[in-house]
Amino acid sequence: MKALVATGPNEFSVQEVTEPEPGYREVLARVRAVTICGTDAHLLRGDYPGFWPPGYPFIPGHEWAGEIVALGPGAEDLGWSEGDRIAGTSHDACGVCQKCVEGRYNLCENYGKEGLHRQYGHNYQGAFAEYVVHGVKAIFHLPEEIDFPTGATLDPASIGLHTANRGGVRPGDNVVVFGPGPVGLLAADAALTRGAARVIVIGKPSIDCDRLELARSMGFEAIDYEGIDPVEAVRESTGGLGADVILDCAGVPETFQWSIAALRKGGRCAAVGIPVEGVALDLQELVLYEKELVGVRATAGEMRHVIPLVANGRIRVKKLISHRFPLEEFGEALDTFNERRGCAMKVIIEP
Ligand SMILES: [Zn+2]
Ligand SMILES: [Zn+2]
């Protein structure tokens, strides 16, 4: 089969490789659509040495949809058949540690341990290929209404929903989203599904210009923070009170500081962007005004909740699909994504 193979930092090409075989409770799927995620761009650059990927050669890719072409032993007993249309997600956790038992498999205590845990496209071969093997814990039935490119964006949509869930958005809340990228806009839609009264998306016009425009076209309030104080802007638009919930989807050090300052008393910030450096936080503000700051890692059971919301159009992933490329043009697709050519949001590869 053809696959995108990384052979070192910034070294990758589409090559002919051996097709994988499904093992116990696994399926082999024909990949029909797979999207480029920010994590893929970092991984291909070699930004997580020795971790993602643990070694070379490596096939990345973890946001995909396709159909089952072969079943490993035990998969049929669990309700899977050849020809099933499915979407994948990355975490295939152990299922037996206490975090998995509690349903928080994104925090699996056996992360990365051979034979117990896999994160496809991160520490195990992924889906930038014609075929991929997945354990049945990491696949989901795709309803008729969802086509393959849309199905490939269910994984990031489930992360958007997990972010809004971790933020504890309640009906009538004023919600602020930092970072108008794909996860930011998906989290914004997810906040609406939880009953947010208003969602204000904040970005930097020099890099997010088209994205803020897209946010406006989706009906969100959008604020360009360049040249202004984003904390003041949030306070001004919330009658001086601040936001009930902030979803930090930018992950730069400043947005953590702004988030704590721009929260209403008793407010909560859920951060999904991974900051690359440390930052000083105003902990007095956190303690004295009972503000909360919580982390968000991937998704924990939201795939099944997000599928009907995407199918009925309440989480609008189709709005975010900006480009489609064949696997052979992966380099071009990655440049389009990295340089945000033509307001690139979700760039889809169709192997
Ligand atoms: Zn991703
Ligand atoms: Zn586990």
Side-chain angles (χ1 to χ4, degrees):
M1 67 168 185
K2 281 198 192 89
L4 176 85
V5 182
T7 46
N10 279 316
E11 251 182 52
F12 55 85
S13 60
V14 175
Q15 302 178 5
E16 204 57 50
V17 302
T18 315
E19 216 173 277
E21 275 178 38
Y24 180 60
R25 291 183 176 172
E26 290 176 346
V27 303
L28 177 71
R30 176 73 175 88
V31 179
R32 294 296 180 188
V34 48
T35 90
I36 300 180
C37 168
T39 308
D40 298 322
H42 280 289
L43 183 148
L44 285 165
R45 270 198 294 269
D47 288 347
Y48 314 117
F51 184 58
W52 294 342
Y56 296 103
F58 188 77
I59 303 170
H62 59 275
E63 304 175 353
W64 67 277
E67 63 235 318
I68 296 178
V69 292
L71 300 168
E76 194 176 358
D77 303 340
L78 293 165
W80 300 98
S81 310
E82 279 177 33
D84 283 356
R85 299 169 74 252
I86 56 171
T89 188
S90 70
H91 277 262
D92 189 352
C94 80
V96 295
C97 76
Q98 282 306 302
K99 283 294 150 201
C100 281
V101 169
E102 287 169 17
R104 302 183 75 180
Y105 62 86
N106 54 331
L107 307 178
C108 178
E109 286 162 331
N110 290 311
Y111 187 93
K113 283 189 197 158
E114 177 83 43
L116 284 171
H117 176 284
R118 285 173 181 175
Q119 192 177 6
Y120 299 107
H122 295 72
N123 64 17
Y124 196 83
Q125 307 296 343
F128 286 129
E130 288 178 299
Y131 297 91
V132 71
V133 158
H134 262 44
V136 297
K137 291 203 275 340
I139 56 171
F140 299 82
H141 284 288
L142 211 53
E144 273 306 308
E145 313 88 277
I146 299 184
D147 59 20
F148 290 126
T150 307
T153 61
L154 287 171
D155 172 76
S158 75
I159 295 173
L161 181 57
H162 187 51
T163 306
N165 286 345
R166 290 283 291 154
V169 178
R170 283 174 301 185
D173 275 351
N174 289 332
V175 176
V176 162
V177 173
F178 278 115
V183 171
L185 295 186
L186 291 165
D189 259 357
L192 289 181
T193 70
R194 289 185 57 110
R198 292 172 65 194
V199 179
I200 304 164
V201 178
I202 301 183
K204 194 174 181 175
S206 58
I207 55 168
D208 292 325
C209 184
D210 300 343
R211 292 178 165 192
L212 286 169
E213 224 23 78
L214 178 61
R216 279 189 197 103
S217 79
M218 291 172 76
F220 300 116
E221 297 168 58
I223 295 179
D224 307 345
Y225 75 72
E226 216 150 58
I228 65 162
D229 177 355
V231 176
E232 272 312 306
V234 170
R235 293 210 167 273
E236 228 163 75
S237 68
T238 53
L241 295 171
D244 296 295
V245 175
I246 296 181
L247 307 175
D248 185 352
C249 304
V252 293
E254 297 78 29
T255 57
F256 284 83
Q257 294 168 325
W258 297 336
S259 291
I260 288 178
L263 276 177
R264 187 175 182 159
K265 290 179 180 178
R268 189 175 212 199
C269 169
V272 66
I274 307 171
V276 290
E277 52 195 285
V279 56
L281 294 180
D282 186 347
L283 298 179
Q284 275 190 353
E285 182 85 9
L286 203 77
V287 173
L288 290 176
Y289 299 111
E290 296 196 350
K291 295 182 177 182
E292 295 171 64
L293 173 62
V294 298
V296 179
R297 181 167 186 163
T299 176
E302 279 88 355
M303 276 295 272
R304 86 165 180 87
H305 300 281
V306 90
I307 289 169
L309 291 170
V310 168
N312 71 19
R314 292 182 67 198
I315 294 186
R316 295 167 285 178
V317 298
K318 267 211 163 82
K319 286 254 179 206
L320 309 182
I321 296 173
S322 57
H323 295 78
R324 292 159 79 149
F325 290 91
L327 182 63
E328 291 73 14
E329 290 171 27
F330 186 87
E332 175 78 7
L334 184 66
D335 290 346
T336 300
F337 177 81
N338 282 335
E339 295 162 22
R340 299 193 185 176
R341 293 180 195 160
C343 192
M345 291 286 280
K346 285 317 266 182
V347 175
I348 307 268
I349 305 291
E350 293 169 297

